[in-house]
Amino acid sequence: MKDIQSYIDKNKDRFVQELTELLKIPSISADSDYKKDMLKTAKAVKASLENAGCEKAEIYETPGHPVVYGEKIIDKDLPTVLVYGHYDVQPPDPLELWDNPPFEPVIKNTKIHPEGAIFARGACDDKGQMYMHVKALEYMTHSNELACNVKFMIEGEEEVGSEHLGWFIERNKEKLANDVILISDTGMISKDTPSITTGLRGLSYIEVEVTGPNRDLHSGLYGGAVGNPVNILAKMIASLTDENNHITIPGFYDKVEDLSSEERKKMAEAPYNEEDYKNKLKIKDVYGEAGYSTLERASIRPTLDVNGIWGGYIGEGAKTVLPSKAFAKISMRLVPGQDWKEITALFKKHFESIAPDAVTVEVKPHHGGYAYVTPIDNPGYQAASKAYEKTFRKTPIPQRSGGSIPIVSLFEKELGSKIILMGFGLDTDAIHSPNEHFGIWNYLKGIETIPYFYKYFAEMTKK
Amino acid sequence: MKDIQSYIDKNKDRFVQELTELLKIPSISADSDYKKDMLKTAKAVKASLENAGCEKAEIYETPGHPVVYGEKIIDKDLPTVLVYGHYDVQPPDPLELWDNPPFEPVIKNTKIHPEGAIFARGACDDKGQMYMHVKALEYMTHSNELACNVKFMIEGEEEVGSEHLGWFIERNKEKLANDVILISDTGMISKDTPSITTGLRGLSYIEVEVTGPNRDLHSGLYGGAVGNPVNILAKMIASLTDENNHITIPGFYDKVEDLSSEERKKMAEAPYNEEDYKNKLKIKDVYGEAGYSTLERASIRPTLDVNGIWGGYIGEGAKTVLPSKAFAKISMRLVPGQDWKEITALFKKHFESIAPDAVTVEVKPHHGGYAYVTPIDNPGYQAASKAYEKTFRKTPIPQRSGGSIPIVSLFEKELGSKIILMGFGLDTDAIHSPNEHFGIWNYLKGIETIPYFYKYFAEMTKK
């Protein structure tokens, strides 16, 4: 890898330019209005794989959005790395809170990113992090230093629960055969504190609809006598957590695997300052489950968050209406031991059971996924750790993340290999938020680090 | 009034046509986009007053939407009737629930209205009921039977709390001097059970904004550790009522004037069938304050209803966001004794006090009004009662309504006269709801009944 640094220096403007072009396409998987843009993005990804050195790159139709597959097989006897990423992005709203249009990328310097950061939806999650792997392959092809076979599986439904990726994997197990799965869709603690994500939370995402009267009513003529679905939905949501912010759904915690006090002590050693944490978010206080630290609440404990709520009149001014319906999108982050399908069923049963006769309730399970934990003693983790040591001159910290990549646990189950989560984003990159961005330093550092993973993984797994 | 019946028969198609034209103008006072249409409606009302016989009709600018004033003074010694109504309407959303566009009136027959009903926003509330008075004046002018002086005050801000009508009245007390104020902005029990509204509830309308973190967050990375403003708003709203649906705001009930068991017994005699009530609304059960009947809950007891709520992602599909903000529009219906300004202050103080440190709360009072009760022993009520007896051949039932006309109590205070609420609408007219309509039979019956009110009021108040 002698000349990787100079190769990156020579090409970094192009690397940024190419990513910028990819970010201009609004690949919003949740919104069917963007179906065309999804396909356009898939085609762009396919082309980039071919340019980077894949002998074969194809777009595979699924019942949902297509999957882009590419591969470069150099030697059947070498280990094979399967790179997973996604080209779809979260919806950008609320649009009014963006400083630039979410699909018109802008480069700006920030305190954390003096070298500049690319501001756009998907800049970090996951177009930017996915594209690091494409550019790393370009370097390894160019310098003829590719040490493993490589396969890419870039999907378009991660932000909506990877609904059809399982369908694709089932039908392509052989094609996808690999020795390790490499993913950059997580973050690291800070630019000078590299970390590798060793755990992810599971997810159960649900939409509820509460119906009261068959039409919107005048709140004067009926108010007080007819159940108001918004008031009742508020009561139902409020009752899902108790005064200690424990979740009250019967059986919810039954299968939670608690960490040993040993493990919790180790977690507590990670660098963290609660004052900084609060100041960054401009909150007077944190808020969560009694008996757990902020780091624990955000990683090893399950949660219940309302992601969206709406009902009645939400326009300008006043409307004295007693609405017919109220809605909420509710998601639960789950931890190892919890089965998301079982939790979804428990939620449904409980939520229906607490509805008063004044309303009817419909609970629509949306999507979900299992939590995941990687052991740190396998060659994949060790190779990643060594790669960070090489480029950051520091041993990365193993860290459980609160996020979810619902499909990860399925990879291990279906393809039998370990998943290594090498993330180069930062918590402050505002993924899923307005003004999402990705530091150019982080982007290039990822491109520099990834080739070492291939090198060390090949060495460690040599037969 | 010998030929009133034949006059109505001869002209009824024109009466309906004229109202239809008025209903085509989207006079939505809550939405500033419709400012032009508000003025257009005011001009149409002014013209209709002139055509009906007013010698003088003018549009008075206010800091908000204009007031239309018209008068016909025939004899200083005769009593003067001040007709109040409003030309503004409620916002029509949710639009998708309308069978016809809300401002493209359609006439359809219904079970309750075999003679046809006009479907449009404002058909009953209040363009249709206001226009009955214009056409009644037309008849009395035509037949030369106008028994009182008449003044019209038709405002454009009733649906947003009549914010500037007090301002207008203060400046025009002399012009508005009268012996009785006549309003048709309420309903009657049924087509064969006429009723006169003797009470209205007060109102306090409030908007709340709950802010958690300074930006939308990823619900995986922060969920469980950072206060979610939607979850917290739900808990706050839920806590505003207890398990008996009593309102928990300290001091809320202190000044409520309870009805005597005598009065409550009388109320219970009004024709009412709970099964019909539930079936009409397609609800399994009613829902309200313990210890009170449905009729009582909807008229003599104060309420707290969320009229609108929103926060987080409310689009198609899923977004795993922990939102920065959540909002709600909350209104309380008040009863005699409660001071809406005091209740608004109590709400603000309490709501702010129950917010956890994880969020900041902004409470924005919107508008309000006092409750009102008319005695039934005054000539205004007696004249109205006699007028109904004449045209319905039944004595109308005095009835307390759950609705509010916030300005009514101000009329009595500022102008010193009693307010008579002669309503011809029905609960089923869906005012404030999609598919609002007004029965043509009711419309014409109002036009027929109103002139008798003038006749009897003149007779009863003759010096």
Side-chain angles (χ1 to χ4, degrees):
Chain A
M1 311 278 160
K2 51 200 176 324
D3 70 342
I4 185 162
Q5 199 50 68
S6 62
Y7 186 83
I8 290 172
D9 291 341
K10 231 189 329 345
N11 296 283
K12 60 175 187 255
D13 293 349
R14 177 173 56 85
F15 290 171
V16 169
Q17 188 47 43
E18 287 175 14
L19 174 56
T20 302
E21 290 307 313
L22 197 60
L23 291 168
K24 287 179 181 171
I25 318 172
S27 48
I28 305 167
S29 49
D31 189 337
S32 47
D33 293 351
Y34 294 87
K35 222 172 172 329
K36 277 212 184 83
D37 294 297
M38 291 300 293
L39 186 59
K40 191 174 167 198
T41 314
K43 286 177 175 164
V45 171
K46 172 178 180 290
S48 71
L49 288 173
E50 289 164 340
N51 299 336
C54 287
E55 309 107 5
K56 193 165 94 185
E58 286 160 351
I59 292 174
Y60 285 82
E61 290 306 324
T62 74
H65 297 298
V67 174
V68 183
Y69 175 82
E71 65 176 33
K72 184 178 178 68
I73 308 299
I74 50 175
D75 179 345
K76 291 257 165 302
D77 297 334
L78 287 173
T80 299
V81 176
L82 174 64
V83 175
Y84 164 81
H86 62 93
Y87 64 84
D88 64 322
V89 301
Q90 280 275 316
D93 21 333
L95 285 170
E96 64 276 15
L97 296 185
W98 282 78
D99 298 333
N100 58 287
F103 299 107
E104 297 173 21
V106 167
I107 293 175
K108 282 185 290 187
N109 298 347
T110 71
K111 209 148 128 290
I112 297 172
H113 298 296
E115 313 82 359
I118 307 174
F119 285 74
R121 168 58 83 228
C124 177
D125 178 12
D126 182 48
K127 284 174 176 169
Q129 295 217 77
M130 174 270 288
Y131 208 69
M132 295 182 309
H133 291 269
V134 180
K135 295 295 99 179
L137 173 62
E138 175 189 308
Y139 167 74
M140 294 184 282
T141 307
H142 152 87
S143 64
N144 203 11
E145 289 176 286
L146 183 58
C148 309
N149 302 308
V150 57
K151 298 175 176 179
F152 283 82
M153 175 172 66
I154 312 301
E155 73 153 318
E157 295 185 313
E158 197 275 341
E159 300 295 3
V160 291
S162 301
E163 196 183 345
H164 302 98
L165 192 61
W167 179 95
F168 173 78
I169 292 172
E170 253 173 52
R171 286 160 180 71
N172 296 278
K173 278 192 183 179
E174 225 164 276
K175 177 199 300 292
L176 297 170
N178 65 82
D179 301 285
V180 68
I181 297 172
L182 186 58
I183 303 178
S184 296
D185 194 18
T186 50
M188 58 183 182
I189 292 172
S190 74
K191 287 164 74 175
D192 52 17
T193 314
S195 56
I196 297 173
T197 301
T198 54
L200 292 165
R201 288 196 281 196
L203 180 74
S204 169
Y205 200 108
I206 285 159
E207 190 162 319
V208 299
E209 176 177 344
V210 176
T211 304
N214 58 344
R215 58 183 168 91
D216 285 7
L217 299 176
H218 186 296
S219 69
L221 302 182
Y222 292 91
V226 175
N228 179 323
V230 182
N231 291 63
I232 289 170
L233 175 59
K235 273 192 187 292
M236 292 171 75
I237 290 170
S239 77
L240 296 176
T241 51
D242 66 17
E243 64 286 3
N244 294 318
N245 282 306
H246 292 303
I247 292 158
T248 57
I249 299 166
F252 183 83
Y253 292 101
D254 288 1
K255 297 187 178 170
V256 169
E257 290 164 11
D258 289 315
L259 266 67
S260 66
S261 53
E262 188 46 51
E263 290 171 291
R264 289 179 68 180
K265 216 180 277 115
K266 215 153 180 262
M267 271 192 73
E269 289 161 11
Y272 169 75
N273 177 315
E274 190 130 297
E275 282 316 304
D276 293 352
Y277 186 87
K278 289 191 285 186
N279 292 337
K280 274 195 195 124
L281 301 173
K282 300 248 184 310
I283 50 176
K284 243 195 272 116
D285 203 359
V286 294
Y287 187 88
E289 188 180 11
Y292 294 91
S293 72
T294 293
L295 283 182
E296 290 171 334
R297 289 165 171 175
S299 63
I300 62 164
R301 296 297 296 170
T303 69
L304 186 148
D305 273 296
V306 181
N307 304 109
I309 191 166
W310 67 104
Y313 180 66
I314 65 179
E316 184 189 352
K319 185 169 193 275
T320 50
V321 63
L322 193 166
S324 171
K325 286 177 182 291
F327 304 82
K329 295 175 193 274
I330 299 172
S331 66
M332 292 165 283
R333 298 283 170 170
L334 308 176
V335 297
Q338 291 181 296
D339 178 329
W340 75 269
K341 290 175 176 155
E342 191 181 326
I343 293 293
T344 303
L346 288 175
F347 178 97
K348 189 177 195 309
K349 183 160 171 285
H350 177 66
F351 202 76
E352 288 166 350
S353 74
I354 60 176
D357 281 347
V359 296
T360 56
V361 167
E362 196 183 348
V363 177
K364 299 173 213 154
H366 208 295
H367 68 277
Y370 294 90
Y372 180 74
V373 182
T374 340
I376 68 171
D377 56 8
N378 68 81
Y381 183 89
Q382 294 303 325
S385 183
K386 248 186 108 176
Y388 281 98
E389 282 165 31
K390 180 77 182 173
T391 56
F392 285 79
R393 288 171 183 66
K394 277 189 186 171
T395 304
I397 296 172
Q399 195 193 31
R400 294 262 301 252
S401 161
S404 307
I405 309 177
I407 206 68
V408 162
S409 59
L410 184 105
F411 291 162
E412 186 169 36
K413 186 162 152 294
E414 294 290 320
L415 303 173
S417 43
K418 291 282 169 227
I419 293 88
I420 306 305
L421 299 160
M422 286 177 79
F424 294 88
L426 301 177
D427 276 5
T428 49
D429 290 343
I431 64 173
H432 291 212
S433 306
N435 302 315
E436 173 179 357
H437 56 282
F438 189 34
I440 289 171
W441 183 91
N442 302 65
Y443 177 53
L444 300 177
K445 204 66 175 172
I447 296 170
E448 179 190 353
T449 307
I450 289 162
Y452 288 101
F453 172 83
Y454 285 75
K455 179 175 187 292
Y456 298 133
F457 188 73
E459 290 170 8
M460 291 177 180
T461 56
K462 195 167 275 135
K463 282 123 199 162
Chain B
M1 310 277 159
K2 52 201 175 324
D3 70 341
I4 185 162
Q5 200 51 70
S6 63
Y7 186 81
I8 290 172
D9 290 342
K10 228 188 319 30
N11 295 283
K12 61 173 184 259
D13 294 347
R14 177 173 57 84
F15 290 170
V16 169
Q17 187 48 42
E18 287 175 15
L19 174 56
T20 302
E21 290 307 315
L22 196 61
L23 291 168
K24 286 179 183 171
I25 319 173
S27 48
I28 305 165
S29 49
D31 189 338
S32 46
D33 293 352
Y34 294 87
K35 218 168 173 334
K36 277 213 184 81
D37 294 299
M38 292 299 294
L39 186 59
K40 191 175 166 197
T41 314
K43 286 177 175 166
V45 172
K46 172 177 180 286
S48 70
L49 288 173
E50 289 165 339
N51 298 338
C54 287
E55 311 107 2
K56 192 163 97 192
E58 284 159 353
I59 292 174
Y60 285 82
E61 290 306 324
T62 75
H65 297 298
V67 174
V68 182
Y69 175 82
E71 66 177 34
K72 185 179 178 71
I73 308 298
I74 50 175
D75 178 346
K76 292 259 165 300
D77 297 334
L78 286 174
T80 299
V81 177
L82 173 64
V83 175
Y84 164 82
H86 62 94
Y87 65 85
D88 64 322
V89 301
Q90 280 275 314
D93 22 334
L95 285 169
E96 64 275 17
L97 296 185
W98 283 78
D99 297 332
N100 59 288
F103 299 106
E104 295 172 23
V106 167
I107 293 175
K108 282 184 291 188
N109 299 346
T110 72
K111 209 149 128 287
I112 297 173
H113 299 295
E115 313 82 359
I118 307 174
F119 284 74
R121 168 58 84 229
C124 176
D125 179 13
D126 180 49
K127 284 175 176 170
Q129 295 216 75
M130 175 270 289
Y131 208 68
M132 297 182 308
H133 291 269
V134 179
K135 295 295 99 179
L137 173 62
E138 174 189 309
Y139 166 74
M140 294 184 282
T141 307
H142 153 86
S143 63
N144 202 12
E145 289 176 287
L146 183 59
C148 309
N149 301 309
V150 57
K151 298 174 176 179
F152 282 82
M153 175 172 66
I154 312 301
E155 73 153 319
E157 296 186 312
E158 197 274 342
E159 299 295 3
V160 290
S162 301
E163 195 182 345
H164 302 100
L165 193 59
W167 179 94
F168 174 78
I169 291 172
E170 253 174 52
R171 285 162 181 70
N172 297 279
K173 279 192 182 180
E174 223 165 277
K175 178 199 299 293
L176 297 170
N178 66 81
D179 299 285
V180 68
I181 298 171
L182 186 59
I183 304 177
S184 295
D185 195 18
T186 51
M188 57 183 182
I189 292 172
S190 73
K191 285 165 76 174
D192 52 17
T193 314
S195 56
I196 298 174
T197 301
T198 55
L200 292 165
R201 287 196 282 197
L203 180 72
S204 169
Y205 200 106
I206 285 159
E207 189 161 321
V208 298
E209 176 176 345
V210 177
T211 304
N214 57 344
R215 57 185 169 90
D216 284 8
L217 300 176
H218 185 295
S219 69
L221 302 182
Y222 293 92
V226 174
N228 180 323
V230 181
N231 291 63
I232 289 171
L233 175 58
K235 273 192 187 291
M236 292 171 75
I237 290 170
S239 78
L240 296 176
T241 51
D242 66 16
E243 65 285 2
N244 294 317
N245 282 306
H246 292 303
I247 293 158
T248 58
I249 298 165
F252 184 83
Y253 292 101
D254 287 1
K255 298 188 176 170
V256 169
E257 289 165 11
D258 288 316
L259 267 68
S260 67
S261 54
E262 189 44 56
E263 290 171 291
R264 289 179 68 179
K265 217 182 275 113
K266 214 152 182 247
M267 270 191 74
E269 288 162 9
Y272 169 75
N273 177 314
E274 190 130 296
E275 282 316 303
D276 293 352
Y277 186 86
K278 289 191 284 185
N279 292 338
K280 272 194 196 125
L281 300 173
K282 301 252 184 310
I283 49 176
K284 242 193 276 119
D285 203 359
V286 294
Y287 187 87
E289 188 180 11
Y292 294 91
S293 73
T294 293
L295 282 183
E296 290 171 334
R297 290 165 172 177
S299 63
I300 62 164
R301 295 298 294 170
T303 69
L304 187 149
D305 271 297
V306 181
N307 304 109
I309 191 166
W310 68 104
Y313 181 65
I314 64 179
E316 182 187 353
K319 186 169 193 279
T320 49
V321 64
L322 191 165
S324 170
K325 287 176 180 292
F327 305 83
K329 295 175 193 274
I330 299 172
S331 67
M332 292 165 284
R333 297 285 170 169
L334 309 176
V335 298
Q338 291 181 296
D339 177 330
W340 74 270
K341 289 174 178 154
E342 191 182 326
I343 293 293
T344 303
L346 288 175
F347 178 97
K348 189 176 194 311
K349 182 159 170 287
H350 177 66
F351 202 75
E352 288 166 349
S353 75
I354 60 176
D357 282 346
V359 296
T360 56
V361 167
E362 196 182 348
V363 177
K364 301 173 213 154
H366 208 297
H367 67 278
Y370 294 90
Y372 179 74
V373 182
T374 339
I376 67 172
D377 55 7
N378 68 79
Y381 184 91
Q382 294 302 325
S385 185
K386 248 184 108 174
Y388 281 98
E389 282 166 29
K390 181 78 182 172
T391 56
F392 286 78
R393 289 171 181 65
K394 276 189 187 170
T395 305
I397 296 171
Q399 196 193 30
R400 293 264 298 256
S401 161
S404 307
I405 309 177
I407 205 67
V408 161
S409 59
L410 185 104
F411 290 162
E412 186 169 34
K413 187 163 149 292
E414 294 289 322
L415 302 174
S417 44
K418 291 280 170 230
I419 293 87
I420 306 306
L421 300 160
M422 288 177 76
F424 293 89
L426 301 177
D427 276 5
T428 49
D429 289 343
I431 66 173
H432 291 211
S433 304
N435 301 316
E436 173 179 356
H437 56 281
F438 190 32
I440 290 172
W441 182 92
N442 303 66
Y443 177 53
L444 300 177
K445 204 66 174 173
I447 297 170
E448 178 188 352
T449 307
I450 290 163
Y452 287 102
F453 172 83
Y454 285 75
K455 178 175 188 291
Y456 298 133
F457 187 72
E459 289 170 7
M460 290 178 181
T461 56
K462 196 168 274 133
K463 282 122 198 165

